[in-house]
Amino acid sequence: MTSMAMMTLPKILTGPQELSVEGPKVLYTFDLFGLKINFTETIILEWIVMALILGACFFLTRNLKIKAVSKRQAIAEMAVEAITNLVRDTMGKRWLWFTPYIATIFCFSIFGSLISLLGVRAVTSDFSVLLTWSAITFILITWTKIKYGGIGGYLKGFTDPIPVMLPINILSEVATPTAMALRHFGNIAGGSIIMGLVYYGLASLSRMIHLQVPVLTVGIPAVLSLYFDLFSDFMQAFIFIMLTMVFISNAGPAEDEAA
């Protein structure tokens, strides 16, 4: 989450006059059917995150046994059981087939945020990433409504409870994925900016009291990082998957009705 702060830290140490906040770096630009496509650092970082997740999965699941399981396997089983129980308790038994999707989003969000601890930009600080996740969730919500209510029932839902509500219902439908993306992005990007300001302010204070080395930028940011880089990242990932599960399950009938 502190990727922006980390990237501006060298400038802060040399005495900058201002603190700048920029988007992901564009590495290459090409045209596709007249459209300008930017190849940004986020794409590379996403592949790194995917490699880390695959590596963790391979490490935790290799050499599985039925008896005398290793600590590594025990951790993997606990993680699978935890996410399965979360999906069952939140969505119901008939939605358990959504568990891999929910687990993927959660892991990608956690790894994508914590990668900033390596001194690079957090993947989740790119709004396009969160908007893509929200768009997939929106497609799943729409698919669920059509599956259980049909095309006619889905379209009729826009006029409930009265036809005059049509514009508001359409706006509400579009606002769902947008709000999910903005909520996650706002917290991650906001934390990055706050940490950047903390580094900048402490470095300036060190110069004011004539310290040759800005030692104030070492201890205090580390304490704040426990919140912005750990607690907040896990919390935002959890909120995102909870909203995903609630919206998708609410798009279908209640479990007793489906039975």
Side-chain angles (χ1 to χ4, degrees), residues 138-189:
F138 175 74
I139 293 173
L140 292 174
I141 294 173
T142 304
W143 176 82
T144 302
K145 290 181 178 179
I146 295 175
K147 175 183 178 181
Y148 289 100
I151 295 292
Y154 172 70
L155 296 177
K156 185 178 181 298
F158 287 103
T159 60
D160 288 338
I162 54 178
V164 73
M165 295 294 293
L166 176 63
I168 297 178
N169 287 335
I170 293 177
L171 181 61
S172 176
E173 194 81 0
V174 177
T176 296
T178 305
M180 290 179 62
L182 287 174
R183 179 183 289 106
H184 198 319
F185 168 77
N187 281 277
I188 299 299

Coordinates of all heavy atoms in Angstrom, one line a residue, residues 138-189:
F138 N -20.1 -8.1 -11.5 CA -21.3 -7.6 -12.1 C -21.9 -8.5 -13.1 O -23.1 -8.8 -13.2 CB -21.1 -6.2 -12.8 CG -22.3 -5.6 -13.5 CD1 -23.3 -5.1 -12.8 CD2 -22.3 -5.6 -14.9 CE1 -24.4 -4.6 -13.5 CE2 -23.4 -5.1 -15.6 CZ -24.4 -4.6 -14.8
I139 N -21.0 -9.1 -13.9 CA -21.5 -10.1 -14.9 C -22.1 -11.3 -14.2 O -23.1 -11.9 -14.7 CB -20.3 -10.5 -15.8 CG1 -19.8 -9.3 -16.7 CG2 -20.6 -11.7 -16.7 CD1 -18.6 -9.6 -17.5
L140 N -21.4 -11.8 -13.1 CA -22.0 -12.9 -12.4 C -23.3 -12.6 -11.8 O -24.2 -13.5 -11.7 CB -21.0 -13.3 -11.3 CG -19.6 -13.9 -11.8 CD1 -18.7 -14.1 -10.7 CD2 -19.9 -15.2 -12.6
I141 N -23.5 -11.4 -11.3 CA -24.7 -11.0 -10.7 C -25.8 -11.0 -11.8 O -26.9 -11.5 -11.5 CB -24.6 -9.5 -10.1 CG1 -23.7 -9.6 -8.9 CG2 -26.0 -9.0 -9.7 CD1 -23.4 -8.2 -8.3
T142 N -25.5 -10.4 -12.9 CA -26.5 -10.4 -14.0 C -26.8 -11.8 -14.5 O -28.0 -12.1 -14.7 CB -25.9 -9.5 -15.2 OG1 -25.6 -8.2 -14.7 CG2 -27.0 -9.4 -16.3
W143 N -25.8 -12.6 -14.6 CA -26.0 -14.0 -15.0 C -26.9 -14.8 -14.1 O -27.8 -15.5 -14.5 CB -24.7 -14.7 -15.2 CG -24.8 -16.2 -15.5 CD1 -25.0 -16.8 -16.7 CD2 -24.8 -17.3 -14.6 NE1 -25.1 -18.1 -16.6 CE2 -24.9 -18.5 -15.3 CE3 -24.6 -17.3 -13.2 CZ2 -24.9 -19.7 -14.7 CZ3 -24.6 -18.6 -12.6 CH2 -24.8 -19.8 -13.3
T144 N -26.7 -14.5 -12.8 CA -27.5 -15.2 -11.8 C -29.0 -14.7 -11.9 O -29.9 -15.5 -11.7 CB -27.0 -14.9 -10.4 OG1 -25.6 -15.3 -10.3 CG2 -27.8 -15.6 -9.3
K145 N -29.2 -13.4 -12.0 CA -30.6 -12.9 -12.1 C -31.3 -13.5 -13.4 O -32.5 -13.9 -13.3 CB -30.6 -11.4 -12.2 CG -30.2 -10.7 -11.0 CD -30.2 -9.2 -11.1 CE -29.8 -8.5 -9.8 NZ -29.8 -7.0 -10.0
I146 N -30.6 -13.6 -14.5 CA -31.2 -14.2 -15.7 C -31.4 -15.7 -15.5 O -32.4 -16.2 -16.0 CB -30.3 -13.9 -16.9 CG1 -30.2 -12.4 -17.2 CG2 -30.8 -14.6 -18.2 CD1 -29.3 -12.0 -18.3
K147 N -30.5 -16.4 -14.9 CA -30.6 -17.8 -14.7 C -31.9 -18.2 -13.9 O -32.6 -19.1 -14.3 CB -29.4 -18.3 -14.0 CG -29.5 -19.8 -13.6 CD -28.3 -20.3 -12.8 CE -28.4 -21.8 -12.5 NZ -27.2 -22.3 -11.7
Y148 N -32.2 -17.4 -12.8 CA -33.3 -17.8 -12.0 C -34.6 -17.0 -12.3 O -35.7 -17.5 -12.0 CB -32.9 -17.5 -10.5 CG -31.9 -18.4 -9.9 CD1 -30.6 -18.1 -9.8 CD2 -32.3 -19.7 -9.5 CE1 -29.6 -19.0 -9.3 CE2 -31.4 -20.6 -9.0 CZ -30.1 -20.2 -8.9 OH -29.1 -21.1 -8.3
G149 N -34.5 -15.9 -13.0 CA -35.7 -15.1 -13.4 C -36.0 -15.0 -14.8 O -37.0 -14.6 -15.2
G150 N -35.0 -15.5 -15.7 CA -35.2 -15.3 -17.1 C -34.9 -13.9 -17.6 O -34.8 -13.0 -16.8
I151 N -34.8 -13.8 -18.9 CA -34.6 -12.4 -19.5 C -35.7 -11.5 -19.1 O -35.5 -10.3 -18.7 CB -34.4 -12.5 -21.0 CG1 -33.2 -13.3 -21.4 CG2 -34.4 -11.1 -21.6 CD1 -31.9 -12.6 -21.0
G152 N -37.0 -12.0 -19.2 CA -38.1 -11.2 -18.9 C -38.2 -10.7 -17.5 O -38.4 -9.6 -17.2
G153 N -37.9 -11.7 -16.6 CA -37.8 -11.3 -15.2 C -36.7 -10.3 -14.8 O -36.9 -9.5 -14.0
Y154 N -35.6 -10.5 -15.5 CA -34.5 -9.6 -15.3 C -34.8 -8.2 -15.7 O -34.6 -7.2 -15.0 CB -33.2 -10.0 -16.0 CG -32.1 -9.1 -16.0 CD1 -31.4 -8.8 -14.8 CD2 -31.7 -8.4 -17.2 CE1 -30.3 -7.9 -14.8 CE2 -30.7 -7.5 -17.2 CZ -30.0 -7.2 -16.0 OH -28.9 -6.3 -16.0
L155 N -35.4 -8.0 -16.9 CA -35.8 -6.7 -17.4 C -37.0 -6.1 -16.6 O -37.0 -4.9 -16.3 CB -36.2 -6.8 -18.9 CG -35.1 -7.2 -19.8 CD1 -35.6 -7.3 -21.2 CD2 -33.9 -6.2 -19.8
K156 N -37.9 -7.0 -16.1 CA -39.0 -6.5 -15.3 C -38.6 -6.0 -14.0 O -39.2 -5.1 -13.4 CB -40.0 -7.7 -15.1 CG -41.3 -7.2 -14.4 CD -42.2 -8.4 -14.3 CE -43.5 -8.0 -13.6 NZ -43.3 -7.6 -12.2
G157 N -37.4 -6.5 -13.5 CA -36.9 -6.1 -12.2 C -36.5 -4.6 -12.2 O -36.5 -4.0 -11.1
F158 N -36.3 -4.0 -13.4 CA -35.9 -2.6 -13.4 C -37.1 -1.7 -13.2 O -36.9 -0.5 -12.9 CB -35.3 -2.3 -14.8 CG -33.9 -2.8 -15.0 CD1 -33.7 -3.9 -15.7 CD2 -32.8 -2.2 -14.3 CE1 -32.4 -4.4 -15.9 CE2 -31.5 -2.6 -14.5 CZ -31.3 -3.8 -15.3
T159 N -38.3 -2.3 -13.3 CA -39.5 -1.4 -13.0 C -40.1 -1.7 -11.7 O -41.2 -1.2 -11.4 CB -40.6 -1.8 -14.1 OG1 -40.9 -3.2 -14.0 CG2 -40.0 -1.5 -15.5
D160 N -39.5 -2.5 -10.8 CA -40.0 -2.7 -9.5 C -39.6 -1.6 -8.5 O -38.4 -1.1 -8.6 CB -39.4 -4.1 -8.9 CG -40.1 -5.2 -9.6 OD1 -41.2 -5.1 -10.2 OD2 -39.5 -6.3 -9.6
P161 N -40.4 -1.2 -7.6 CA -41.8 -1.7 -7.4 C -42.8 -1.0 -8.3 O -43.9 -1.4 -8.5 CB -42.1 -1.3 -5.9 CG -41.2 -0.1 -5.7 CD -40.0 -0.2 -6.6
I162 N -42.4 0.2 -8.9 CA -43.3 0.9 -9.9 C -42.5 1.3 -11.1 O -41.2 1.5 -11.0 CB -44.0 2.1 -9.2 CG1 -42.9 3.0 -8.6 CG2 -45.0 1.7 -8.2 CD1 -43.5 4.3 -8.0
P163 N -43.1 1.4 -12.3 CA -42.3 1.7 -13.5 C -41.5 3.0 -13.4 O -40.5 3.2 -14.0 CB -43.4 1.8 -14.6 CG -44.5 1.0 -14.0 CD -44.5 1.1 -12.6
V164 N -42.0 4.0 -12.6 CA -41.3 5.3 -12.5 C -39.9 5.1 -11.9 O -39.0 6.0 -12.0 CB -42.1 6.3 -11.7 CG1 -42.0 5.9 -10.2 CG2 -41.6 7.7 -11.9
M165 N -39.6 4.0 -11.3 CA -38.3 3.7 -10.7 C -37.3 3.2 -11.7 O -36.1 2.9 -11.3 CB -38.5 2.6 -9.6 CG -39.3 3.1 -8.4 SD -38.6 4.4 -7.5 CE -37.1 3.6 -6.8
L166 N -37.6 3.1 -12.9 CA -36.7 2.6 -14.0 C -35.4 3.3 -14.0 O -34.3 2.6 -13.9 CB -37.4 2.6 -15.3 CG -36.5 2.2 -16.5 CD1 -36.1 0.7 -16.4 CD2 -37.3 2.4 -17.8
P167 N -35.3 4.6 -14.1 CA -34.0 5.3 -14.2 C -33.2 5.0 -12.9 O -31.9 4.8 -13.0 CB -34.4 6.8 -14.3 CG -35.8 6.8 -14.8 CD -36.4 5.6 -14.2
I168 N -33.8 5.0 -11.7 CA -33.1 4.8 -10.5 C -32.6 3.4 -10.4 O -31.4 3.2 -10.0 CB -34.0 5.2 -9.3 CG1 -34.4 6.6 -9.3 CG2 -33.3 4.8 -8.0 CD1 -35.3 7.1 -8.2
N169 N -33.4 2.5 -10.8 CA -32.9 1.1 -10.8 C -31.8 0.8 -11.7 O -30.8 0.0 -11.4 CB -34.1 0.1 -11.1 CG -35.1 0.0 -10.0 OD1 -34.8 0.3 -8.8 ND2 -36.3 -0.3 -10.3
I170 N -31.8 1.4 -12.9 CA -30.7 1.3 -13.9 C -29.4 1.9 -13.3 O -28.3 1.3 -13.3 CB -31.0 2.0 -15.2 CG1 -32.2 1.2 -15.9 CG2 -29.8 2.0 -16.1 CD1 -32.6 1.9 -17.2
L171 N -29.6 3.1 -12.7 CA -28.4 3.7 -12.0 C -27.9 2.9 -10.9 O -26.6 2.7 -10.7 CB -28.8 5.1 -11.5 CG -27.7 5.9 -10.8 CD1 -26.6 6.2 -11.8 CD2 -28.3 7.2 -10.3
S172 N -28.7 2.3 -10.1 CA -28.3 1.4 -9.0 C -27.6 0.2 -9.5 O -26.6 -0.2 -8.9 CB -29.5 1.0 -8.2 OG -29.2 0.1 -7.2
E173 N -28.0 -0.4 -10.6 CA -27.4 -1.5 -11.2 C -26.0 -1.2 -11.6 O -25.0 -2.0 -11.4 CB -28.2 -2.0 -12.4 CG -27.9 -3.4 -12.9 CD -28.5 -4.5 -12.0 OE1 -29.2 -4.2 -11.1 OE2 -28.3 -5.7 -12.3
V174 N -25.8 -0.1 -12.3 CA -24.5 0.3 -12.8 C -23.6 0.8 -11.6 O -22.3 0.6 -11.6 CB -24.6 1.5 -13.8 CG1 -23.2 2.0 -14.2 CG2 -25.4 1.0 -15.0
A175 N -24.2 1.3 -10.6 CA -23.4 1.9 -9.4 C -22.8 0.8 -8.6 O -21.8 1.0 -7.9 CB -24.3 2.8 -8.6
T176 N -23.4 -0.4 -8.6 CA -22.9 -1.5 -7.8 C -21.4 -1.9 -8.0 O -20.6 -1.8 -7.1 CB -23.7 -2.8 -8.0 OG1 -25.1 -2.5 -7.5 CG2 -23.2 -4.0 -7.2
P177 N -21.0 -2.2 -9.3 CA -19.6 -2.5 -9.5 C -18.7 -1.3 -9.3 O -17.5 -1.4 -8.9 CB -19.5 -3.0 -10.9 CG -20.7 -2.4 -11.6 CD -21.8 -2.3 -10.5
T178 N -19.2 -0.1 -9.7 CA -18.4 1.1 -9.5 C -18.1 1.4 -8.1 O -16.9 1.7 -7.7 CB -19.1 2.3 -10.2 OG1 -19.4 2.0 -11.5 CG2 -18.2 3.5 -10.1
A179 N -19.1 1.3 -7.2 CA -18.9 1.5 -5.8 C -17.9 0.5 -5.2 O -17.1 0.9 -4.3 CB -20.2 1.5 -5.1
M180 N -18.0 -0.7 -5.6 CA -17.1 -1.8 -5.1 C -15.7 -1.4 -5.4 O -14.8 -1.5 -4.6 CB -17.5 -3.1 -5.6 CG -18.8 -3.7 -5.1 SD -19.1 -5.3 -5.8 CE -17.7 -6.3 -5.2
A181 N -15.4 -1.0 -6.7 CA -14.1 -0.7 -7.1 C -13.6 0.5 -6.4 O -12.4 0.6 -6.0 CB -14.1 -0.5 -8.6
L182 N -14.4 1.6 -6.3 CA -13.9 2.8 -5.7 C -13.7 2.7 -4.2 O -12.7 3.3 -3.7 CB -15.0 3.9 -5.9 CG -15.1 4.5 -7.3 CD1 -16.3 5.4 -7.4 CD2 -13.9 5.2 -7.7
R183 N -14.4 1.8 -3.5 CA -14.2 1.6 -2.1 C -12.8 1.0 -1.8 O -12.1 1.4 -1.0 CB -15.3 0.7 -1.5 CG -15.2 0.4 0.0 CD -16.2 -0.5 0.5 NE -17.5 0.1 0.5 CZ -18.5 -0.1 -0.4 NH1 -18.3 -1.0 -1.4 NH2 -19.7 0.5 -0.3
H184 N -12.5 -0.1 -2.6 CA -11.2 -0.7 -2.4 C -10.1 0.2 -2.9 O -9.1 0.3 -2.2 CB -11.3 -2.0 -3.3 CG -10.2 -3.0 -2.8 ND1 -8.9 -2.6 -2.5 CD2 -10.2 -4.4 -2.7 CE1 -8.2 -3.7 -2.2 NE2 -9.0 -4.8 -2.3
F185 N -10.2 0.8 -4.1 CA -9.2 1.6 -4.6 C -8.9 2.8 -3.7 O -7.8 3.2 -3.4 CB -9.5 2.1 -6.0 CG -8.7 3.2 -6.5 CD1 -7.4 2.9 -7.0 CD2 -9.1 4.5 -6.5 CE1 -6.6 3.9 -7.5 CE2 -8.3 5.5 -7.0 CZ -7.1 5.3 -7.5
G186 N -10.0 3.4 -3.2 CA -9.9 4.6 -2.4 C -9.1 4.4 -1.1 O -8.2 5.2 -0.7
N187 N -9.3 3.3 -0.5 CA -8.6 2.9 0.8 C -7.1 2.6 0.5 O -6.3 3.1 1.3 CB -9.3 1.7 1.5 CG -10.5 2.1 2.2 OD1 -10.5 2.6 3.3 ND2 -11.7 2.0 1.6
I188 N -6.9 1.9 -0.6 CA -5.5 1.5 -0.8 C -4.7 2.8 -1.3 O -3.6 3.1 -0.8 CB -5.4 0.5 -1.9 CG1 -6.1 -0.8 -1.5 CG2 -3.9 0.1 -2.3 CD1 -5.5 -1.5 -0.2
A189 N -5.2 3.5 -2.2 CA -4.6 4.7 -2.7 C -4.5 5.8 -1.6 O -3.4 6.5 -1.5 CB -5.3 5.3 -3.9

